[in-house]
Amino acid sequence: MERYTEYHVGVAVLKDKTKMKEAMSRFAELEERDTAKRPIKEEDSGIRYTDSYRCRNCGKGFTGIGIASFCYHCGQRFDWR
Ligand SMILES: [Zn+2]
């Protein structure tokens, strides 16, 4: 993926000013992913010993509560409170 920004002494600099819109949308996407979201609990579909959840961001499933801080699939941060 082409980088829109580069770091100069801890400050992000936009390399090409015409890419402002793309850079902002990418930033918003990252910020969104880093905002903890509660996983969606799957409805029981039979006898299970562990609960299954779905990621709110990518919709992919995983099993077990409070194990993962981030989605294995897309990196979405989870809120288990
Ligand atoms: Zn995900």
Side-chain angles (χ1 to χ4, degrees), residues 33 54-60 62 70-76 78:
R33 204 174 62 184
R54 214 151 29 85
C55 172
R56 270 183 203 280
N57 189 49
C58 68
K60 288 184 181 165
F62 59 96
F70 299 90
C71 175
Y72 304 126
H73 309 286
C74 70
Q76 172 66 51
F78 290 146

Side-chain angles (χ1 to χ4, degrees), residues 41-53 63:
K41 196 175 189 304
E42 298 273 27
E43 293 303 316
D44 281 339
S45 59
I47 301 158
R48 285 233 177 114
Y49 296 101
T50 52
D51 290 329
S52 289
Y53 291 86
T63 303

Side-chain angles (χ1 to χ4, degrees), residues 1-15:
M1 188 197 288
E2 185 207 346
R3 286 200 58 154
Y4 295 153
T5 56
E6 53 193 12
Y7 270 106
H8 289 296
V9 207
V11 178
V13 176
L14 196 61
K15 292 198 287 187

